[in-house]
Amino acid sequence: MASPGIEVELLGKGHSDLGEVAPEIKASERRTAVAIADLEWREMEGDDCEFRYGDGTNEAQDNDFPTVERSRFQEMLSLLGLEMYQVQKLSLQDSLQISFDSMKNWAPQVPKDLPWNFLRKLQALNADARNTTMVLDVLPDARPVEKESQMEEEIIYWDPADDLAADIYSFSELPTPDTPVNPLDLLCALLLSSDSFLQQEIVLKMALCQFALPLVLPDSENHYHTFLLWAMRGIVRTWWSQPPRGVGSFREDSVVSSRAPTFAFVRMDVSSNSKSQLLNAVLSPGHRQWDCFWHRDLNLGTNAREISDGLVEISWFFPSGREDLDIFPEPVAFLNLRGDIGSHWLQFKLLTEISSAVFILTDNISKKEYKLLYSMKESTTKYYFILSPYRGKRNTNLRFLNKLIPVLKIDHSHVLVKVSSTDSDSFVKRIRAIVGNVLRAPCRRVSVEDMAHAARKLGLKVDEDCEECQKAKDLMERITRKIKDSDAYRRDELRLQGDPWRKAAQVEKEFCQLQWAVDPPEKHRAELRRRLLELRMQQNGHDPSLGVQEFISGISSPSLSEKQYFLRWMEWGLARVAQPRLRQPPETLLTLRPKHGGPTDLGEPLWPEPLGVEHFLREMGQFYEAESCLVEAGRLPAGQRRFAHFPGLASELLLTGLPLELIDGSTLSMPVRWVTGLLKELHIRLERRSRLVVLSALGVPCTGKSTLLNTMFGLRFATGKSCGPRGAFMQLITVAEGFSQDLGCDHILVIDSGGLIGGALTSAGDRFELEASLATLLMGLSNVTVISLAETKDIPAAILHAFLRLEKTGHMPNYQFVYQNLHDVSVPGPRPRDKRQLLDPPGDLSRAAAQMEKQGDGFRALVGLAFCDPEKQHIWHIPGLWHGAPPMAAVSLAYSEAIFELKRCLLENIRNGLSNQNKNIQQLIELVRRL
């Protein structure tokens, strides 16, 4: 008979799909239970008890891991081929190299392929990245001999009764089709083998895929667990509060600094119910199930966990502002501890200190578990139990629950029962209702930074606490604390920009145009030269401000890691002081652009430009430009140069993966001396590996070109909102040495046109001419150009104009027209009418551009100009980016796969020599000067 102190309630009858079969106790937990020191409970005064290990240490001193754990960790690293990365960690640049595998949609065949397959798919935001299923090559004697080109990879399934199977089983070394690695083990092993910046990239990409993120990383080999604060620094999420869905309800913030109620789900001993499946159901709106947390029924690698027990994962719910979609009215964090709380007491204690409520899933409550929970009596956290009594000892559970009622301050509503007959939908609604009730009452709200503070107190290592990271952070704070107003700071501290640079750029443009005049007046040329030297002397009369000097100090650090930490800290620090007017919904930002049909000031930004790292680098560039101009004119002795080393500093940043500005977004001009100086230094540092292919992406803002490049190559161009940097940026990708001969280049220089092509009409006069000139410049520098289009009929007039100009020069890169479906997430595949539209006779825009170039109706079809064969695929339809409704949408698998096919085509064209003549850096420098 049930105890009167607590009443067990069974929910409505129905079929359960949330895990009816009791999970086996993990192999790692069985071994841990044998190897770890015996637990003992020492009774304190009265009923008090304290949880201690057998050696007398308490939970905060959990440093004694069994030897079997260390050997299992080393075995996993050996299996995955990651042993070599334990001293010299795997870097972000290593993972982004272009290799032969970059052109293949290959499946892993041996365990050593799994880390690289995971990184490649994660870079492409592929929803199948967690799949660790391997595909084995067919054995030569398994079927008749065929030509190698006809041999296909397949998953082999053998019938044990087959004679062939008997022969195969005789080889004990042969891998089996069963996956040997649990996806969580793969993730932990890879993170423990990666440096801080690759860890950060992995976590950022996982967030975009809507995967649960690692928060506490277990590392039994080195006797500590790591709280991953730094790894999450780059994640920024947007959401809308309810109601209404307008400008005032829009929010954008870092997940590290924003506070939210937090709910933890843990397992005690054995539970017939799956925490991860339950969490996925709670987080999934409507009937669309999204597997945010990996679970055993995904069939993506179902082996028992070996090294990932003790992992704590985190995921968030963010509201969209739509009541029909939103499960909760505000952001909510959910935590999931992998493994049993008895074996991972330190992680469990952390969760109880940071959570608003903890849900404990178990089948049995024994004396050991009772005492463990009794030690939490001082906790103010709410506790809820999810039981499966028919798999355990029902009466024993009730007896211990009654004892825990006054200790944990719970009642019958805190105990839920879920058995195989429980209706899953009703049960999920019950969990959501409990969460909703906690939200409505005063409850604990914590940020990831708050969690890290609690982790430090418990003795966990925090990845951000290393000396190099903290030194870089301190320098960033010294710079940013002086920034009260971005516009005032640019005016007072970055003095060489603004009017001085804009005036100098205008004079240089006029001087350059005179060079192409048939008979330029010498008097006018001399006047322009005089004005330019006067402006440059004014600039050179300034000294770098204190903020710029500190920035230069940060990027001059002899430690590569400290330099990279500093740049990341600067990006986030400057974003934090961004003007509030920039934090508006994306659809609102579209209205910030001026109308392109009328006259506009060429120096007027198309949208407010936030203060960024590029402004400090612009300032360095202007010091170098002014000094170089005076040296060229003989006004300054070369021996008195102070800034000659600046291009070298910038080239080192380019080599570390930072996008650098090629065309200044404030003046819409290229600082030629600065860019050529930077490229010269790059040539020196690359020595013999200086063969380049230049790939550019052009299109108006909000056509998805930056996201496309980032997904394709793992780059870091600004995305997500129209208020990003306005200029064109370049980033360098290394080609693996073993593949460079085959591909025909050592590096690929990728250029993103940013906000330069604003879609001005031909009637816009100077604005249109400026955009057309910039498009011509970028396409003229390129071997390959991707034209990103929101609609196929909406090819910007400036790009059409650039086509005509380049046709006359004979320099025609390989072109790929990419139509991105920005709104409809359900449109499948390319639409034939879109391709025909590009092949049709030119419309009004193209005819107008042709008339401006005096070619009249002689304008040929764009496909012909681009050397495109209509029978081949040079026009791409990319499906919608999101699967579902943001902010809880994941990246669509169709989008990821289409981007990979585009990447494969681009690399194939480069390898086959269809990308015009490849260049070395010296040739690129000459091309920059000429264009």
Side-chain angles (χ1 to χ4, degrees):
M1 183 174 178
S3 169
I6 190 164
E7 179 181 349
V8 176
E9 178 183 355
L10 294 178
L11 294 179
K13 303 290 184 182
H15 180 68
S16 168
D17 61 357
L18 286 178
E20 300 178 7
V21 182
E24 297 181 1
I25 299 176
K26 300 291 185 280
S28 59
E29 290 176 9
R30 288 199 301 270
R31 289 192 288 268
T32 301
V34 172
I36 201 165
D38 291 334
L39 300 176
E40 68 178 14
W41 292 90
R42 301 185 178 181
E43 297 295 336
M44 310 299 287
E45 295 181 3
D47 290 333
D48 290 352
C49 60
E50 182 180 3
F51 183 61
R52 291 183 178 271
Y53 292 97
D55 61 356
T57 61
N58 61 27
E59 67 274 9
Q61 299 169 326
D62 179 16
N63 289 327
D64 295 321
F65 288 80
T67 305
V68 66
E69 284 285 353
R70 289 195 290 271
S71 63
R72 190 158 63 248
F73 177 73
Q74 290 297 334
E75 287 172 4
M76 180 63 64
L77 294 178
S78 177
L79 183 71
L80 297 173
L82 296 174
E83 287 175 303
M84 67 183 74
Y85 299 112
Q86 295 315 293
V87 178
Q88 185 68 34
K89 299 292 187 181
L90 185 64
S91 72
L92 177 57
Q93 295 306 101
D94 292 335
S95 71
L96 298 182
Q97 281 193 359
I98 301 293
S99 66
F100 183 73
D101 289 335
S102 303
M103 300 179 62
K104 296 191 305 180
N105 192 12
W106 57 280
Q109 298 178 8
V110 294
K112 286 181 171 61
D113 291 339
L114 292 174
W116 304 103
N117 181 67
F118 175 76
L119 287 173
R120 178 179 62 83
K121 286 192 172 182
L122 198 62
Q123 173 188 308
L125 304 180
N126 191 307
D128 286 339
R130 294 179 294 187
N131 190 341
T132 59
T133 303
M134 292 185 296
V135 177
L136 302 181
D137 280 331
V138 176
L139 296 176
D141 55 345
R143 61 178 178 182
V145 177
E146 299 177 15
K147 293 182 180 179
E148 185 177 350
S149 61
Q150 295 175 339
M151 296 289 286
E152 296 181 355
E153 295 174 348
E154 62 181 39
I155 300 179
I156 306 176
Y157 299 95
W158 292 303
D159 184 351
D162 195 336
D163 291 337
L164 175 62
D167 292 336
I168 289 171
Y169 286 132
S170 65
F171 295 96
S172 60
E173 297 292 326
L174 186 69
T176 68
D178 296 327
T179 175
V181 179
N182 183 290
L184 295 176
D185 287 341
L186 172 63
L187 174 63
C188 289
L190 187 55
L191 287 172
L192 290 168
S193 305
S194 304
D195 69 12
S196 297
F197 306 100
L198 180 54
Q199 286 182 350
Q200 197 174 80
E201 185 72 6
I202 289 172
V203 171
L204 175 61
K205 298 294 187 182
M206 289 180 68
L208 289 172
C209 292
Q210 292 290 2
F211 296 161
L213 307 181
L215 183 69
V216 177
L217 181 64
D219 181 4
S220 56
E221 178 72 9
N222 294 303
H223 298 183
Y224 56 69
H225 306 303
T226 304
F227 188 95
L228 299 179
L229 175 61
W230 168 262
M232 295 198 181
R233 278 283 174 193
I235 303 174
V236 176
R237 299 298 299 263
T238 59
W239 67 91
W240 284 262
S241 57
Q242 291 181 0
R245 195 176 191 272
V247 174
S249 62
F250 177 79
R251 290 288 309 278
E252 178 182 89
D253 205 351
S254 165
V255 297
V256 165
S257 57
S258 59
R259 287 188 166 90
T262 302
F263 296 85
F265 284 68
V266 301
R267 170 169 62 84
M268 186 168 66
D269 194 24
V270 177
S271 172
S272 304
N273 298 304
S274 166
K275 300 190 312 297
S276 300
Q277 284 180 292
L278 178 59
L279 278 165
N280 291 339
V282 170
L283 284 167
S284 299
H287 297 286
R288 185 183 70 84
Q289 177 81 8
W290 177 253
D291 294 309
C292 177
F293 292 90
W294 179 87
H295 56 86
R296 59 179 175 260
D297 290 341
L298 283 180
N299 296 321
L300 302 178
T302 55
N303 279 24
R305 296 188 298 271
E306 294 290 341
I307 64 171
S308 56
D309 276 351
L311 173 70
V312 177
E313 298 169 288
I314 186 170
S315 188
W316 288 267
F317 172 82
F318 290 98
S320 64
R322 294 174 50 182
E323 294 185 10
D324 57 327
L325 291 179
D326 290 344
I327 302 169
F328 307 111
E330 62 175 301
V332 183
F334 292 89
L335 301 172
N336 183 12
L337 171 61
R338 300 289 182 168
D340 169 43
I341 61 175
S343 302
H344 306 288
W345 179 253
L346 188 60
Q347 289 93 318
F348 177 60
K349 188 168 185 181
L350 172 65
L351 299 190
T352 62
E353 293 191 5
I354 63 179
S355 300
S356 304
V358 175
F359 290 81
I360 301 173
L361 285 76
T362 188
D363 290 352
N364 301 304
I365 303 178
S366 65
K367 184 176 182 180
K368 171 185 171 182
E369 280 75 35
Y370 162 72
K371 289 185 175 181
L372 187 152
L373 292 173
Y374 190 91
S375 67
M376 305 304 299
K377 64 179 183 178
E378 301 299 330
S379 172
T380 59
T381 303
K382 294 181 172 65
Y383 292 90
Y384 294 85
F385 290 87
I386 299 177
L387 305 177
S388 299
Y390 297 130
R391 295 189 181 277
K393 299 177 181 179
R394 185 172 182 272
N395 291 334
T396 303
N397 288 343
L398 292 175
R399 185 172 67 253
F400 282 121
L401 282 172
N402 282 323
K403 289 183 178 181
L404 288 172
I405 286 176
V407 176
L408 300 181
K409 304 174 182 64
I410 61 175
D411 56 32
H412 73 280
S413 66
H414 289 237
V415 180
L416 299 93
V417 176
K418 187 182 187 307
V419 294
S420 59
S421 59
T422 305
D423 179 67
S424 297
D425 290 340
S426 298
F427 191 80
V428 169
K429 289 179 181 177
R430 177 80 176 272
I431 298 294
R432 289 175 177 172
I434 291 172
V435 172
N437 290 334
V438 174
L439 295 180
R440 285 188 287 273
C443 67
R444 178 185 292 151
R445 284 171 165 78
V446 295
S447 66
V448 175
E449 287 178 321
D450 297 330
M451 298 178 190
H453 184 64
R456 288 188 188 98
K457 287 185 174 180
L458 290 174
L460 274 75
K461 174 187 174 184
V462 177
D463 59 351
E464 203 169 272
D465 291 347
C466 69
E467 182 181 358
E468 290 178 323
C469 182
Q470 289 304 308
K471 284 177 64 178
K473 181 182 180 181
D474 291 343
L475 183 56
M476 174 274 293
E477 290 178 340
R478 287 207 303 269
I479 296 173
T480 56
R481 73 166 59 105
K482 301 170 188 173
I483 306 175
K484 307 304 180 184
D485 178 82
S486 296
D487 292 336
Y489 187 85
R490 272 182 281 200
R491 183 179 61 251
D492 300 334
E493 299 293 318
L494 307 177
R495 296 184 288 266
L496 270 61
Q497 298 173 54
D499 284 340
W501 168 219
R502 189 172 291 112
K503 290 176 181 177
Q506 185 59 39
V507 172
E508 289 195 331
K509 286 177 187 176
E510 293 180 30
F511 191 79
C512 182
Q513 290 167 356
L514 278 181
Q515 290 182 311
W516 296 99
V518 178
D519 187 18
E522 186 58 37
K523 184 177 180 181
H524 186 42
R525 185 197 296 268
E527 174 61 21
L528 288 177
R529 186 181 292 109
R530 184 195 64 78
R531 285 169 52 196
L532 179 61
L533 287 174
E534 185 179 295
L535 289 167
R536 291 305 191 187
M537 289 183 70
Q538 289 177 10
Q539 287 183 309
N540 195 58
H542 291 286
D543 290 320
S545 66
L546 181 59
V548 174
Q549 291 180 41
E550 290 175 326
F551 178 84
I552 294 169
S553 172
I555 64 173
S556 303
S557 170
S559 166
L560 176 61
S561 294
E562 188 174 328
K563 188 185 306 182
Q564 291 177 294
Y565 278 123
F566 172 70
L567 288 168
R568 296 290 174 93
W569 277 119
M570 282 296 294
E571 290 173 4
W572 303 324
L574 293 172
R576 195 172 62 238
V577 298
Q579 298 164 347
R581 59 191 171 122
L582 297 178
R583 300 199 172 189
Q584 301 180 51
E587 56 266 30
T588 306
L589 289 163
L590 297 179
T591 65
L592 296 174
R593 299 191 203 131
K595 297 179 180 179
H596 297 300
T600 56
D601 177 9
L602 299 184
E604 177 189 352
L606 296 177
W607 55 79
E609 189 181 28
L611 182 63
V613 169
E614 67 273 9
H615 290 89
F616 289 84
L617 289 167
R618 278 183 203 169
E619 190 76 359
M620 291 174 60
Q622 283 308 297
F623 276 109
Y624 180 82
E625 283 269 329
E627 188 177 74
S628 299
C629 182
L630 296 180
V631 170
E632 290 170 9
R635 298 292 185 92
L636 181 70
Q640 295 182 14
R641 299 196 65 162
R642 296 182 295 162
F643 312 119
H645 63 294
F646 281 4
L649 295 176
S651 67
E652 291 173 0
L653 302 185
L654 190 63
L655 286 170
T656 62
L658 181 73
L660 294 186
E661 199 172 43
L662 177 67
I663 296 179
D664 190 309
S666 63
T667 62
L668 303 182
S669 62
M670 178 189 288
V672 177
R673 296 177 186 85
W674 170 246
V675 171
T676 55
L678 188 158
L679 293 175
K680 286 178 183 177
E681 291 291 336
L682 186 64
H683 179 66
I684 293 171
R685 282 161 173 76
L686 293 178
E687 296 178 344
R688 292 172 296 178
R689 302 201 73 224
S690 62
R691 294 176 302 162
L692 279 181
V693 163
V694 181
L695 185 153
S696 62
L698 276 72
V700 299
C702 301
T703 56
K705 62 187 180 305
S706 302
T707 300
L708 181 147
L709 292 174
N710 293 349
T711 306
M712 200 182 310
F713 296 112
L715 304 179
R716 298 183 52 216
F717 294 121
T719 62
K721 49 188 180 295
S722 299
C723 62
R726 186 185 179 195
F729 284 76
M730 58 183 174
Q731 191 170 345
L732 196 67
I733 309 172
T734 301
V735 178
E737 289 195 39
F739 187 52
S740 60
Q741 194 63 35
D742 192 19
L743 193 61
C745 63
D746 303 304
H747 294 83
I748 298 177
L749 186 68
V750 182
I751 301 174
D752 179 9
S753 67
L756 296 180
I757 313 300
L761 302 177
T762 54
S763 58
D766 290 342
R767 169 70 71 179
F768 168 78
E769 175 58 34
L770 178 60
E771 289 189 8
S773 299
L774 295 171
T776 305
L777 171 61
L778 294 180
M779 293 162 65
L781 292 174
S782 305
N783 302 96
V784 181
T785 297
V786 174
I787 309 296
S788 180
L789 308 169
E791 299 290 345
T792 52
K793 62 182 178 180
D794 187 24
I795 301 175
I799 293 178
L800 294 175
H801 203 60
F803 269 109
L804 296 169
R805 288 182 173 181
L806 290 174
E807 187 192 19
K808 292 191 295 185
T809 68
H811 177 85
M812 291 299 294
N814 176 267
Y815 291 96
Q816 302 292 326
F817 296 94
V818 178
Y819 166 45
Q820 299 213 56
N821 179 16
L822 301 177
H823 305 293
D824 186 1
V825 296
S826 60
V827 178
R831 294 179 288 188
R833 65 176 181 273
D834 297 332
K835 182 177 290 189
R836 285 200 305 269
Q837 194 163 14
L838 279 174
L839 297 172
D840 283 345
D844 294 338
L845 277 179
S846 34
R847 189 172 292 109
Q851 289 171 354
M852 291 183 70
E853 292 293 333
K854 299 182 173 64
Q855 292 189 16
D857 291 331
F859 181 77
R860 296 181 296 171
L862 288 180
V863 175
L865 276 175
F867 299 145
C868 293
D869 182 349
E871 298 303 317
K872 297 179 181 178
Q873 188 171 19
H874 295 272
I875 302 167
W876 300 78
H877 177 87
I878 305 296
L881 173 63
W882 301 115
H883 177 67
M888 291 302 293
V891 174
S892 143
L893 182 61
Y895 175 87
S896 174
E897 291 175 341
I899 294 297
F900 173 79
E901 284 305 313
L902 174 59
K903 174 183 179 179
R904 185 194 57 76
C905 176
L906 294 175
L907 294 177
E908 195 68 48
N909 287 347
I910 293 172
R911 187 168 69 166
N912 294 336
L914 301 180
S915 58
N916 211 321
Q917 185 177 4
N918 296 347
K919 316 169 178 67
N920 60 39
I921 295 179
Q922 292 282 27
Q923 291 170 326
L924 180 62
I925 291 171
E926 292 305 316
L927 191 56
V928 167
R929 287 171 174 161
R930 194 164 71 247
L931 286 172

